[in-house]
Amino acid sequence: MRKERVLGFWVLVLCGVLGWAQRQTERPYWFSLERGKVLFRKGDYGNALLAFEDARRDRRTMYTRMERDLIDLLSIHEVRLLGDSLERIEPYIAERYHVNAAAALRELYFRVPRSSLEGSATKALEALGRLKYYPEAEYWIGESYRVEGELGVALGQYQKAHEQRAFLENPRFDITILYKIIDILTIRQDYPEMEKRLLEILEQDTLWSGEVSGTTKSAMTKVLENDGISRFLTIYRYNYTTVERAHRLLGLYYYASGRHNRATEHLMFSFLIQNTIVIEEVIRNQYDFTFTTLENLLSQAMKRPVLGDYMDDAEYFKTLYYLGAALYADGKVIPARRFWIFLSGCADAGEWRGRANLQLRSPFVEQAVKMP
């Protein structure tokens, strides 16, 4: 009998899904979001914004209605007598043909792990209510305002999207949102909040923030300072690209604000990640390549346009220059000169070659920039 009831419930669920589909607009919320992305990439920002707002509204409407369907069911006297058990409520739904409630539970089970509900109708209702949030839509609404120069509104949207990060379909997308927040904070010169957000990203860098991070950083610093760049890159490799920019921005910020020791640590991590990426890409195209020196690596990297583009995006030569500058400001003259000597012989380093030459002729600590 119980198996028949369970089967009946899932038959009803299928009917509920079909019935629910008839209650929806022709274009579901996710379709509006994807349509908005297409319009955005075409430069049609006004219509893209409307599509993103449609997506947000339609998702909220859909889950609000489902939430109401489940509330209506749970408010029935007979259901209330069944207690908080989904195991007891589901057969009742099947026997009494509550199609909309069945569809609501089916959607919920598709979106969240059923085990997380612990068989509780109350938890199911709470989870269904949370599905009304649509952080992806909030993010893209922010993007639409950003390209139109409405940075304050964009920042609010990014922050809202980040607050709703638990509901992202791709949990890793929260880093992208944080970087967007950081970009606007930098433009608005809100440096304390910018620093806070960058450090938030680095909480996910276990090599940086893990239990043994202090020992690891100390060992890495000693190798770089005492044994040189080539030895450092021979011993250590780290390809966590997601946090490279956070380390670089923090390093530059700490140098500009006169905190040279902290700048050295972050720029060292940025330098390591950048070169790990370059080394891995060179090996991918030339399997027998073995790293020996930075000069040799650069000669191979410059043959590959994709690596040239990456190094430009990652501010490769700027990172090297300021890592040397931070070391020098921290009293590490010899390792600082190693970076400047490398840059002085690098024709592709542009501005940073000239600045390295100035440092080699007459080294100096750049004046700290006052932060408002």
Side-chain angles (χ1 to χ4, degrees):
M1 175 65 80
R2 185 176 181 277
K3 287 184 178 180
E4 292 176 354
R5 287 183 175 181
V6 172
L7 179 60
F9 172 74
W10 288 111
V11 169
L12 184 60
V13 163
L14 177 60
C15 294
V17 171
L18 296 174
W20 179 258
Q22 294 176 352
R23 295 168 64 185
Q24 303 305 300
T25 59
E26 291 184 6
R27 294 180 175 177
Y29 67 84
W30 54 264
F31 184 91
S32 296
L33 186 75
E34 295 305 316
R35 178 173 173 271
K37 292 178 186 179
V38 172
L39 293 168
F40 184 89
R41 288 161 187 152
K42 289 180 178 180
D44 189 354
Y45 304 123
N47 284 319
L49 175 60
L50 293 176
F52 297 140
E53 290 175 338
D54 285 345
R56 179 178 62 181
R57 183 190 62 249
D58 291 346
R59 175 162 172 147
R60 176 168 288 275
T61 298
M62 170 180 166
Y63 285 111
T64 297
R65 186 179 298 143
M66 286 187 167
E67 183 184 36
R68 172 50 56 188
D69 289 337
L70 191 55
I71 290 173
D72 289 344
L73 173 84
L74 297 176
S75 300
I76 297 172
H77 178 69
E78 292 171 304
V79 176
R80 292 169 62 185
L81 294 176
L82 297 174
D84 194 41
S85 171
L86 286 172
E87 187 177 6
R88 298 176 67 187
I89 292 172
E90 286 176 356
Y92 177 89
I93 293 174
E95 291 170 358
R96 301 303 176 89
Y97 298 101
H98 287 280
V99 175
N100 295 333
L105 287 177
R106 175 65 182 88
E107 174 67 15
L108 178 63
Y109 296 156
F110 177 74
R111 295 293 174 185
V112 304
R114 188 168 180 173
S115 59
S116 68
L117 304 176
E118 300 177 352
S120 167
T122 300
K123 289 187 177 182
L125 185 60
E126 292 171 352
L128 194 58
R130 289 193 294 269
L131 287 175
K132 289 182 285 187
Y133 297 117
Y134 201 6
E136 287 87 355
E138 303 292 358
Y139 168 82
W140 281 102
I141 291 171
E143 281 286 87
S144 299
Y145 280 110
R146 177 187 60 81
V147 296
E148 296 290 358
E150 298 287 345
L151 298 186
V153 180
L155 178 60
Q157 285 299 133
Y158 295 144
Q159 290 171 333
K160 186 183 295 185
H162 189 252
E163 289 167 2
Q164 298 175 9
R165 63 190 178 277
F167 312 107
L168 286 166
E169 292 185 8
N170 176 10
R172 300 299 300 166
F173 193 67
D174 70 314
I175 300 297
T176 298
I177 298 171
L178 276 173
Y179 275 125
K180 292 291 185 178
I181 292 172
I182 288 161
D183 287 341
I184 295 181
L185 293 172
T186 304
I187 292 170
R188 302 178 78 174
Q189 299 184 339
D190 188 351
Y191 298 114
E193 186 65 20
M194 177 201 75
E195 178 186 11
K196 176 184 173 183
R197 294 295 192 170
L198 287 168
L199 290 171
E200 188 174 343
I201 291 175
L202 294 186
E203 289 175 4
Q204 302 188 33
D205 184 353
T206 55
L207 185 60
W208 174 264
S209 61
E211 292 182 3
V212 297
S213 61
T215 303
T216 302
K217 284 184 279 189
S218 177
M220 291 170 63
T221 302
K222 286 181 179 178
V223 171
L224 182 63
E225 293 176 358
N226 299 330
D227 301 328
I229 299 169
S230 297
R231 182 63 176 165
F232 176 76
L233 291 177
T234 299
I235 295 176
Y236 297 107
R237 299 287 166 78
Y238 192 44
N239 64 358
Y240 194 3
T241 56
T242 302
V243 300
E244 183 279 323
R245 185 171 175 236
H247 279 298
R248 175 166 29 106
L249 293 177
L250 272 173
L252 296 173
Y253 169 60
Y254 287 142
Y255 183 85
S257 55
R259 289 171 279 181
H260 302 120
N261 181 262
R262 297 187 70 178
T264 298
E265 291 183 341
H266 287 287
L267 291 170
M268 177 181 68
F269 266 70
S270 175
F271 170 74
L272 175 60
I273 296 169
Q274 289 179 11
N275 282 282
T276 298
I277 299 306
V278 174
I279 291 169
E280 289 179 347
E281 179 63 20
V282 171
I283 291 174
R284 193 177 70 83
N285 290 275
Q286 184 182 332
Y287 71 92
D288 59 345
F289 174 81
T290 300
F291 174 82
T292 53
T293 66
L294 205 54
E295 290 81 0
N296 177 252
L297 176 63
L298 192 65
S299 69
Q300 295 297 318
M302 287 298 122
K303 296 176 184 179
R304 297 169 174 81
V306 65
L307 281 178
D309 293 341
Y310 168 75
M311 293 166 76
D312 286 343
D313 291 341
E315 300 180 303
Y316 181 84
F317 297 114
K318 181 178 181 179
T319 302
L320 266 65
Y321 172 83
Y322 276 109
L323 178 51
L327 284 163
Y328 177 80
D330 201 32
K332 311 299 192 309
V333 178
I334 293 176
R337 285 182 59 85
R338 292 182 185 131
F339 283 99
W340 293 335
I341 289 171
F342 167 76
L343 287 169
S344 71
C346 182
D348 297 296
E351 170 192 354
W352 307 105
R353 182 186 190 186
R355 295 178 69 162
N357 282 325
L358 288 175
Q359 290 283 13
L360 288 170
R361 285 197 294 269
S362 180
F364 62 95
V365 178
E366 296 182 21
Q367 185 176 2
V369 178
K370 281 190 175 183
M371 300 297 173

